[in-house]
Amino acid sequence: MRRPLLASPALLPALLASSLVLAVASPRTGAAQELPTLSGSWTASPLTEQWSIAAWGEACGPRPRPQGAPGGAVQIQQQGSELSISGAGRAWSTAECWEQMPGLARSKHSASGNARSWQTRCTTPPNDPRRAVVTTTTQATDTSIQMVETGQYQFIIQDTTCSASVTRTRTYTLVRRAGEAPPAASAPPPASAPPPAASAPPAAEKKKPAAPRACDAPGEPARLDVTPSRKLMRPGERFQFRALVMDAQGCALPTRPAWSIAPGPLASAATVDATGALSIGADAGEGQLGLVASVAGKGVTVSIEVTSPDRYDALLATSGLNEAGESDEAASVIIATGTIGGRTTTGEDLGRQRKNLFVAIVGGVAACLGFAGLILLRRGRRRPGGDLEGPASTGGAPGERGGAGADEAPASTGAPLAAGAAQVRPAPPPRGKICPTCGERYPGEAMFCGRDGTQLVLVN
C-alpha cells in the first residue's frame, strides 16, 4: 500500500521552512512599501549648543558662547525625499545646514533610508579667510526626528589663530500626522462644574513676528526679524520683505539692515534694493533663492522658492504657506551675541582701526618734524643777512657819508661780510633800496626816504 504524498517524512521539513519564510517576509515587505508620511504637526525641543575652544587670543574678540534656541510647535511638510520644517522661530529644511554664517554654502548633500536619513555639508569659499566646515545630520523614525550639527571654524586675525568647534542638537516629536483625525474630545464635565475656558491648545500654533514696543530710550540692536521667512514667487514678480530691528527689551529701532542675494544658481536672476524689495527676472528658472539681511555683521537668510506659473498652484497647496504664498513666521537672528562669522567681522574692523590709527600717528610725527626743519632752515638763512645789514643801518647819518666816517665803514664791516659769505655761500647778498629823488641808499627793510619822504625802490 502506497503512503500519501503529504505524509512523506522528506517533504514535511521543506514545507514547514517555506511557510516560515513567507510568514516572516510578507510583513517586512509591506512595512517597507507603506512607510507613514512625516508631514504633520510636531513639537521641537530647545536647541542645545556646546562650544569647544582650541585656540583663541585677544585679537579674536569675545569667546564663543552657547546660544541655543527655544523650542515650540512646528509644522513639517514632506516634499519628495526632503523635509521642510517651519516654526519655533525658524524655517529650515533637511537639504540645508542649520548654521547661517555669512558666506557659508552647501557643498554636498545626500538623502537615504526611504526619506529617513539626511546629511548636508556646508563650507566657506576657498578665497574666504574664514575657514568653516559644517555637517548637519538628520535621522528620523515614524514618530521622532533628531538633528545633530557639528562645525569647525578657523581664521587668523593680526597673526593670531582663532579656532573653535561646536555641536548643536534638536529633537522633534510627532503630535499628529497629516491626514489623521484629531484626538476625540473628553467626556463633558458634570452640569454643576463650570466648563473649562478652553479645551486644548491647537496642535500647531505658528509663531508670529514679535510686536515691537515704542521706547523713549531704546538700547543697542539685539535682534533682527525678517518677515516672511519663506516666500513662493514666480518669474517677473516683485515682493517687499519687511525687517524689524529691536533691542534686548523689544523696543523698535530705526536701524535698517543691509540686503544682499545669497550665492546660488538663481543669484544672477534676482535683484534687491536697500529697502528689501526683491525682484525676480522674467527669464529666471525654477529653484531655491536666498535673501540675506544683516545688521552689525549678523545675518539671517530667508528662503524664496521660484517656480513657473504652471506649477505655482500645485506647489502652493503642498507648501504650507498662506494664500499669498508667504509663511506667517519671521526669520530671526540674535545680534548681540551672533555667529562666529560676525565676530570675525568685528575683529577685522578692530584691526583696520588700529592700522589707521598707527598711520595717522606716523603721519603726524613726520609733519611735525618737517615743520621744525623748515623753521630751522629759515632761521639759518636770516642770521647771515642780519650781520650784513646791521652795519649799514648804523653807519652814520646821510650827511657824513662823504667824510671820514664813510671811508671807515667798509673797513669795519669787511670781517663780518667775509665771515657771513664763508658761512652761507648759497644765500644771495641782500638787496638795498635807493631813493629815486635824491639817490640816497637805504637798507632793505626801509620804506621811505629820510630826506624827502619819497618811497624807496630796490637797487638793481
Side-chain angles (χ1 to χ4, degrees):
M1 182 176 180
R2 299 180 60 183
R3 298 174 62 183
L5 182 62
L6 295 177
S8 176
L11 294 177
L12 287 177
L15 292 175
L16 291 175
S18 301
S19 302
L20 182 60
V21 171
L22 292 175
V24 173
S26 297
R28 292 183 179 178
T29 305
Q33 295 177 352
E34 298 179 0
L35 288 176
T37 180
L38 297 180
S39 299
S41 302
W42 296 67
T43 180
S45 68
L47 178 74
T48 61
E49 188 176 88
Q50 296 179 350
W51 284 92
S52 177
I53 308 300
W56 205 269
E58 295 182 359
C60 301
R63 296 170 67 91
R65 296 181 301 171
Q67 299 178 26
V74 298
Q75 283 287 337
I76 296 182
Q77 292 288 335
Q78 184 170 350
Q79 301 175 352
S81 60
E82 302 293 342
L83 300 182
S84 177
I85 305 174
S86 60
R90 170 83 181 273
W92 177 69
S93 170
T94 53
E96 59 183 353
C97 294
W98 179 270
E99 173 64 88
Q100 291 183 311
M101 174 180 171
L104 196 68
R106 190 180 77 175
S107 60
K108 185 178 179 182
H109 176 69
S110 62
S112 60
N114 295 324
R116 291 295 188 270
S117 177
W118 302 265
Q119 189 175 74
T120 305
R121 179 184 174 91
C122 301
T123 58
T124 51
N127 58 349
D128 195 329
R130 304 166 301 173
R131 290 180 291 177
V133 178
V134 178
T135 302
T136 307
T137 304
T138 307
Q139 301 285 343
T141 65
D142 294 345
T143 58
S144 66
I145 302 172
Q146 185 179 29
M147 184 272 291
V148 178
E149 182 176 84
T150 59
Q152 298 287 337
Y153 308 88
Q154 184 176 0
F155 54 94
I156 298 177
I157 296 180
Q158 299 179 1
D159 299 331
T160 302
T161 301
C162 312
S163 178
S165 60
V166 66
T167 300
R168 303 181 179 94
T169 57
R170 168 169 274 185
T171 303
Y172 301 88
T173 305
L174 178 66
V175 176
R176 186 172 72 247
R177 202 180 309 276
E180 293 182 355
S186 58
S192 58
S199 56
E205 181 181 359
K206 295 183 178 181
K207 184 178 179 180
K208 301 294 182 180
R213 298 188 299 113
C215 303
D216 295 335
E220 297 294 329
R223 176 176 174 179
L224 170 63
D225 286 356
V226 179
T227 308
S229 60
R230 294 173 56 214
K231 172 64 178 174
L232 186 63
M233 298 182 67
R234 289 164 285 205
E237 289 186 341
R238 176 184 172 90
F239 182 76
Q240 177 69 57
F241 284 87
R242 301 172 295 276
L244 177 62
V245 181
M246 296 175 289
D247 63 3
Q249 305 300 324
C251 302
L253 301 176
T255 306
R256 290 188 177 183
W259 298 89
S260 61
I261 304 294
L266 298 181
S268 60
T271 58
V272 62
D273 61 15
T275 65
L278 178 68
S279 300
I280 306 296
D283 56 347
E286 295 185 338
Q288 292 283 344
L289 179 66
L291 179 63
V292 181
S294 58
V295 173
K298 316 297 170 54
V300 61
T301 303
V302 297
S303 178
I304 299 97
E305 177 77 16
V306 181
T307 183
S308 62
D310 298 336
R311 298 182 60 247
Y312 182 85
D313 294 336
L315 190 58
L316 179 62
T318 60
S319 62
L321 304 177
N322 56 24
E323 296 180 356
E326 308 172 13
S327 63
D328 295 331
E329 299 100 5
S332 304
V333 65
I334 302 301
I335 300 175
T337 57
T339 63
I340 195 167
R343 282 187 290 272
T344 303
T345 304
T346 303
E348 292 174 352
D349 291 343
L350 180 59
R352 188 178 297 109
Q353 292 177 1
R354 291 178 177 176
K355 180 179 179 181
N356 294 338
L357 179 60
F358 176 76
V359 172
I361 293 175
V362 172
V365 171
C368 293
L369 292 176
F371 183 71
L374 180 61
I375 293 178
L376 294 176
L377 180 61
R378 295 190 64 180
R379 286 183 177 179
R381 289 182 176 180
R382 289 178 180 177
R383 185 173 302 165
D387 294 338
L388 293 175
E389 295 173 1
S393 60
T394 59
E400 302 174 354
R401 293 183 61 86
D407 296 335
E408 297 175 359
S412 63
T413 60
L417 179 61
Q423 292 179 3
V424 185
R425 291 183 178 277
R431 297 172 60 186
K433 293 184 179 181
I434 188 172
C435 177
T437 302
C438 65
E440 183 66 17
R441 292 178 178 269
Y442 292 89
E445 66 270 14
M447 300 296 294
F448 299 97
C449 179
R451 294 182 175 183
D452 50 20
T454 304
Q455 186 175 0
L456 304 179
V457 297
L458 292 173
V459 178
N460 294 330

